[in-house]
């Protein structure tokens, strides 16, 4: 049950985040890189034992997939930065989110995905809060959901919203990696 929730949830979270040029792909690349480190460490019996993380035979091979995700994401970002020449759309966003969720499930780091993907979580929660508030009280909490549109309507230029969400993702990925020694 948790597996389905993580994969479907991360898939939809990345899709909700894909609303501004480059907003979804860079956090996907960063989280994919962080999970790639977990894949490598989980696939090595000595590192896994030392870091007190589950040893998953063969998980080290997923670093190839994570590397491909990072490379393809950076190549895509070249054409997707503001103003975008190429768009991801639902097919790309849903697939990339599902890929992140699947990797996290394989290496048994679902909570770390929740931490590293905090931007995706924040975007999803903003939609849930907005819909629940409107249905229950008839009032909106945000000017518009997902939250990146709220900041746009507050007057932030699109590139500022995007880069600030990228900065938040860098910090959250580093916090996720720091959990390796907090066990």
């Amino acid at each position: 049950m948790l597996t389905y929730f993580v994969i479907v949830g991360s898939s939809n979270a990345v899709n909700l985040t894909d609303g501004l040029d480059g907003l979804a792909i860079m956090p996907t690349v960063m989280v994919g890189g962080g999970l790639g480190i977990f894949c490598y460490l989980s696939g090595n019996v000595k590192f896994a034992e030392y870091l007190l993380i589950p040893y998953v035979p063969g998980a080290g091979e997923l670093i190839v997939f994570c590397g491909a995700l990072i490379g393809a994401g950076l190549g895509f970002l070249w054409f997707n930065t503001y103003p975008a020449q190429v768009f991801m759309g639902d097919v790309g966003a849903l697939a990339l989110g599902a890929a992140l969720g699947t990797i996290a499930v394989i290496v048994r780091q679902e909570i770390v995905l929740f931490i590293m993907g905090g931007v995706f979580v924040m975007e999803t929660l903003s939609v849930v809060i907005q819909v629940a508030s409107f249905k229950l009280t008839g009032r909106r909490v945000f000017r518009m959901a997902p939250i990146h549109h709220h900041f746009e309507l507050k007057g932030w230029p699109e590139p500022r919203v995007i880069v600030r969400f990228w900065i938040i993702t860098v910090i959250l990925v580093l916090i996720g990696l720091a959990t390796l020694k907090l066990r």
Side-chain angles (χ1 to χ4, degrees):
M1 182 69 175
L2 176 66
T3 300
Y4 296 123
F5 179 76
V6 170
I7 294 172
V8 172
S10 63
S11 179
N12 284 297
V14 172
N15 191 35
L16 288 170
T17 306
D18 184 35
L20 299 178
D21 300 339
L23 181 60
I25 194 62
M26 198 59 191
T28 300
V29 165
M30 290 186 266
V31 172
L35 287 174
I37 292 170
F38 275 91
C39 291
Y40 178 74
L41 297 172
S42 294
N44 185 304
V45 73
K46 290 186 180 187
F47 287 144
E49 182 181 322
Y50 174 72
L51 294 169
L52 302 175
I53 58 176
Y55 169 66
V56 181
E61 304 299 325
L62 285 173
I63 191 71
V64 175
F65 179 77
C66 291
L69 187 143
I70 292 166
L74 291 175
F76 174 74
L77 182 63
W78 186 264
F79 298 99
N80 187 243
T81 54
Y82 179 81
Q85 298 168 324
V86 177
F87 300 99
M88 185 182 312
D90 289 350
V91 173
L94 289 167
L96 289 171
L100 293 177
T102 302
I103 293 166
V105 166
I106 291 171
V107 295
R108 300 183 190 123
Q109 299 298 328
E110 297 89 348
I111 294 172
V112 173
L113 173 63
F114 185 80
I115 295 168
M116 287 189 200
V119 166
F120 304 133
V121 173
M122 178 180 62
E123 294 274 359
T124 304
L125 287 177
S126 71
V127 172
V128 170
I129 291 167
Q130 184 85 326
V131 170
S133 173
F134 191 76
K135 287 193 179 215
L136 295 173
T137 67
R139 297 172 47 209
R140 290 179 169 82
V141 175
F142 305 105
R143 292 183 180 183
M144 189 175 183
I147 198 165
H148 59 261
H149 292 308
H150 170 78
F151 290 118
E152 275 189 304
L153 291 176
K154 285 184 77 170
W156 289 19
E158 185 173 335
R160 182 185 302 164
V161 175
I162 295 164
V163 172
R164 288 191 176 168
F165 279 38
W166 288 358
I167 292 168
I168 292 168
T169 302
V170 168
I171 293 166
L172 292 173
V173 168
L174 291 174
I175 291 170
L177 291 172
T179 65
L180 282 167
K181 287 305 290 176
L182 298 176
R183 297 167 194 263

